[in-house]
Amino acid sequence: MTIRQLRSLAALSAKGSVTAASGHLGLTQPAVTQQLRQLQDLAGLPLVQRTGDGMQLTAAGKEVLALAERVEAAIADCQGALDLLAGRSGGAVHLGAVSTAKYFVPHAIAAFSKRYPKIEIKLTIGNRDEIRAAMHGYDLDFAVMGRPPADVHVDVRQLGRNPHIIVARRGHWLEKDRGLSLTDLVHETFLTREPGSGTRTLMEGMFQKSDLEPIIGMEMSSNETIKQAVIAGLGIAFISAHTVAHELGEGRLVVLDVAGLPIVRQWYVIRRSDKVLLPPAQAMFDFLGSEGSNYLPYLPELGGR
């Protein structure tokens, strides 16, 4: 089995046809066809099948593709290790984070970079579904998120508490009420993240436990947009307190006193169990696990970080 054969299969999976795969690899179509035929002969099972949507991998093909991804990750890790040994770089780390974590992860990165200035750090931000999907591959060294994916074997480090609250604009008619219930909020308009967001899923679960259904005014893919919309008086929002620490401190937003809130989840740093971390990535993984909580936003309204 050769790397060229594995790359031919990966290109076919990504591009959907031999023609497109050959263009991507810079090879002729006969050359790609030959690589795929040889790989299939070695596997002893059909790896690809023709469908109305183009060439697609069979179940056996997907297994071989998973091998190809691990091989590519190992090659990249080897190159990084060689660069370290040769003194060409301090190494590189690819970190993923759910969008809610972007309010503290950059501060942790800045502190780590002061300690290890030669290490290059790439940060990928996405919603929970996007980061979970990225964890199925090997590009990310590790990720910061609120709930580890159930369908990937991972190693986990706890980073800190992640309280979720309901906020409204300053002057909202419920601002001074104490001991509100979710029933008191069923006529309020909620501004929320898109389906697939961890915060949206948590909010829906909270209402379902009370057999209630919130009124959804607008769905937004950005916490920044939600905050500005709440400040503008378009509704209220269930949101991670870490995303609104600044606005709470300035008095532009207020926390509604709702029974059962805050709902406290945890922040985690997770990595695939079968992902071998090079020393730079391992150093940052350990740093976030031991010191990451120091960079969570301060929340005097909730008694600290």
Side-chain angles (χ1 to χ4, degrees), residues 17-23 26-37:
S17 72
V18 173
T19 301
S22 63
L27 301 172
T28 65
Q29 292 183 41
V32 172
T33 300
Q34 181 182 15
Q35 298 297 331
L36 292 171
R37 185 179 296 117

Side-chain angles (χ1 to χ4, degrees), residues 34-244:
Q34 181 182 15
Q35 298 297 331
L36 292 171
R37 185 179 296 117
Q38 291 173 346
L39 184 60
Q40 189 160 270
D41 290 343
L42 285 169
L45 290 169
L47 301 182
V48 297
Q49 59 187 358
R50 190 178 302 277
T51 71
D53 296 323
M55 299 292 287
Q56 294 188 358
L57 300 191
T58 63
K62 292 176 182 178
E63 287 294 325
V64 178
L65 179 62
L67 169 64
E69 291 173 345
R70 293 197 297 273
V71 168
E72 292 288 5
I75 291 173
D77 288 345
C78 179
Q79 183 60 56
L82 293 176
D83 287 341
L84 278 171
L85 291 171
R88 291 189 290 265
S89 75
V93 179
H94 189 179
L95 166 64
V98 295
S99 53
T100 306
K102 69 183 180 183
Y103 296 94
F104 66 88
V105 167
H107 297 286
I109 291 175
F112 180 81
S113 293
K114 287 181 180 178
R115 195 172 300 179
Y116 302 98
K118 292 186 68 176
I119 295 179
E120 177 186 351
I121 300 173
K122 178 182 177 181
L123 175 62
T124 296
I125 298 289
N127 67 22
R128 172 177 163 76
D129 280 353
E130 292 167 339
I131 297 301
R132 184 180 64 182
M135 290 300 296
H136 281 82
Y138 291 84
D139 288 340
L140 294 182
D141 288 309
F142 48 85
V144 176
M145 59 195 311
R147 189 171 76 252
D151 53 353
V152 180
H153 292 294
V154 296
D155 293 333
V156 177
R157 299 280 182 90
Q158 188 168 306
L159 193 151
R161 299 167 71 251
N162 181 18
H164 288 71
I165 57 178
I166 293 178
V167 296
R169 69 177 297 181
R170 170 69 70 185
H172 189 277
W173 71 286
L174 293 175
E175 175 183 351
K176 299 186 183 302
D177 288 8
R178 294 293 174 264
L180 294 168
S181 68
L182 290 181
T183 304
D184 297 319
L185 304 179
V186 293
H187 300 297
E188 295 293 317
T189 298
F190 277 82
L191 310 175
T192 184
R193 291 287 304 273
E194 74 286 359
S197 159
T199 304
R200 172 70 173 268
T201 301
L202 186 59
M203 183 191 78
E204 290 174 343
M206 176 183 70
F207 276 95
Q208 287 170 3
K209 288 180 180 178
S210 300
D211 293 323
L212 298 172
E213 186 172 343
I215 298 174
I216 304 299
M218 286 188 284
E219 294 179 351
M220 306 174 188
S221 60
S222 163
N223 288 317
E224 289 298 321
T225 307
I226 289 176
K227 290 192 294 185
Q228 295 305 317
V230 173
I231 291 171
L234 295 179
I236 63 178
F238 177 83
I239 199 166
S240 168
H242 290 148
T243 70
V244 292

Side-chain angles (χ1 to χ4, degrees), residues 161 163 165 241-242 244-251 253 255 296-305:
R161 299 167 71 251
I165 57 178
H242 290 148
V244 292
H246 184 67
E247 289 76 14
L248 291 174
E250 291 184 337
L253 291 175
V255 180
L296 294 174
Y298 185 69
L299 300 165
E301 299 84 358
L302 302 179
R305 294 193 185 279

